[in-house]
Amino acid sequence: MMNQSSILEETIKLAYNEDVDRIRLEEYPTLKDTIYLDHAGTTPYPKSLIEQFSQVLTQSLFGNPHSNSASSQLSTRRIEDVRLRTLRFFNASPDHFDLVFVANATAGIKLIAECFREQPGGFWFGYHRDAHTSLVGAREHAVEHRCFGRDAEVEGWMQGLKTAQISLSEACLGLYAYPAQSNLNGRRLPLSWPGLLRYSCSSRHRIYSLLDAAALVSTSALDLSDPLHAPDFTVLSLYKIFGFPDLGALIIRKESSTPLRCRRYFGGGTVEMVTCMDASWHVKKQNSLHEQLEDGTLPIHSIIALDSAFDVHAKLF
């Protein structure tokens, strides 16, 4: 049997690093006397994040970015700075990627599905059995869909595309979606699939990749530094990384943006001009893809809070 001294030594070996205990005590007072096991849903936010963001709000006036006032221009500059900072966080070069702010990963998936639904002839949709419900729901917009039960089945399908042994339906456009990490069992799926799919497709049938990275980024880094092998579309919920703000992101590979530019719906902020009476026409904004897809006024304060989240995350971790 181990004596009391030996038990103490083993306990010290197994204990958290002192910094972890200090961070929990100082930054997460709401966790006192609590066991929190829902990090897959959202992670708690650190105290200093709320304090820093509160200070930002009390020192600056942020207006609607669709206006031309000084406060509006400040909001516009801060939003674009945070957009670039978010891309850098995932090693995604703005030369190759654009980022659309959305409410959460589900909103990003829904936006992609709605854009693909409007393609001439519709689209084919494939998804992995480990997909989150929000990914599975996209099949309702497709003219044909298929669920892949095993990783080997996915890879065999990709090989068949490459050798022209497998053809799709009459829909000339396809979308394959899967989670980087399963919400059900925590298993991580290959991040090499988007690159393999890109080089397996024939010129006749273009199949795009949609990666749900929401669960993965809650505990691990996502590296999009290689645009040749990165997903065409990546969705994630930023609150699963930082706890606050309640915000999501859709990261788009610019070379893969064509299906998203066919969207017929337009909202405030996405057009330069619109008429409503005898002649019904509108002029879409053309400067960037995110300007065409971010309908209405953005959640200004949430995006600015994200800047504070990056600061505190870098300081703590």
Side-chain angles (χ1 to χ4, degrees), residues 95 149 291 294:
D95 293 333
E291 284 188 329
E294 291 174 338

Side-chain angles (χ1 to χ4, degrees), residues 166-238:
I166 295 178
S167 60
L168 299 180
S169 65
E170 292 302 314
C172 59
L173 209 61
L175 179 66
Y176 173 68
Y178 75 101
Q181 178 176 308
S182 170
N183 273 59
L184 178 64
N185 55 37
R187 188 173 73 90
R188 294 184 175 180
L189 284 73
L191 295 179
S192 58
W193 282 351
L196 292 174
L197 179 59
R198 184 167 296 123
Y199 293 107
S200 296
C201 292
S202 66
S203 57
R204 181 185 175 193
H205 290 299
R206 177 72 167 94
I207 305 176
Y208 293 82
S209 56
L210 169 58
L211 180 71
D212 176 6
L216 176 71
V217 297
S218 64
T219 56
S220 301
L222 176 66
D223 185 4
L224 299 176
S225 58
D226 183 358
L228 294 179
H229 295 89
D232 295 306
F233 315 111
T234 302
V235 294
L236 48 95
S237 297
L238 292 159

